[in-house]
Amino acid sequence: MEEKTILAQILQVLDLYAADMRKQFEALHEKFDSLQRQVQALNEKTDEMDKRIEEMDGRFERQIAQLERTVNERFERLEAKLGHIRVELVETQETVDFHSVKIAQHDRKIRHLLHAR
């Protein structure tokens, strides 16, 4: 009978230990579930941030492309204006050269007339 009592006490201790272990496993399982939910929430936030960054990147690329087009158009207009100014300067220089030659010719004629008197 004593053996049955000892065996019953051992079984009772094992049951208490098993119950304690079950509680600890349940607590660990709850913590694990909580961590999984937190990781899932972080993944969702990360995905949302990735989408927002991609949208911003797309907007920046479009704005940069528009800025490049605008700058290129303005440079082309500026180049065209400079081309016209160059043509006008060449024409002005040709006019000045022509008048300089004519003034020199007139000076020679005036000197010739003054000496011929």
Side-chain angles (χ1 to χ4, degrees), residues 14-28:
L14 284 175
D15 279 345
L16 288 172
Y17 181 74
D20 187 47
M21 290 300 290
R22 277 189 216 102
K23 286 180 184 177
Q24 288 180 9
F25 279 128
E26 285 176 16
L28 283 173

Side-chain angles (χ1 to χ4, degrees), residues 100-113:
S100 295
V101 168
K102 288 298 180 184
I103 290 170
Q105 288 174 355
H106 290 294
D107 281 346
R108 276 195 304 272
K109 283 183 183 179
I110 291 171
R111 275 195 310 260
H112 181 69
L113 289 172

Side-chain angles (χ1 to χ4, degrees), residues 88-103:
E88 289 176 8
L89 286 173
V90 167
E91 290 173 353
T92 302
Q93 186 62 47
E94 289 173 356
T95 303
V96 168
D97 290 345
F98 173 77
H99 287 294
S100 295
V101 168
K102 288 298 180 184
I103 290 170

Side-chain angles (χ1 to χ4, degrees), residues 27-44:
L28 283 173
H29 186 67
E30 287 176 13
K31 285 183 182 179
F32 182 74
D33 285 346
S34 173
L35 285 173
Q36 278 185 319
R37 286 190 298 274
Q38 289 175 357
V39 167
Q40 181 63 31
L42 283 173
N43 284 339
E44 289 172 2

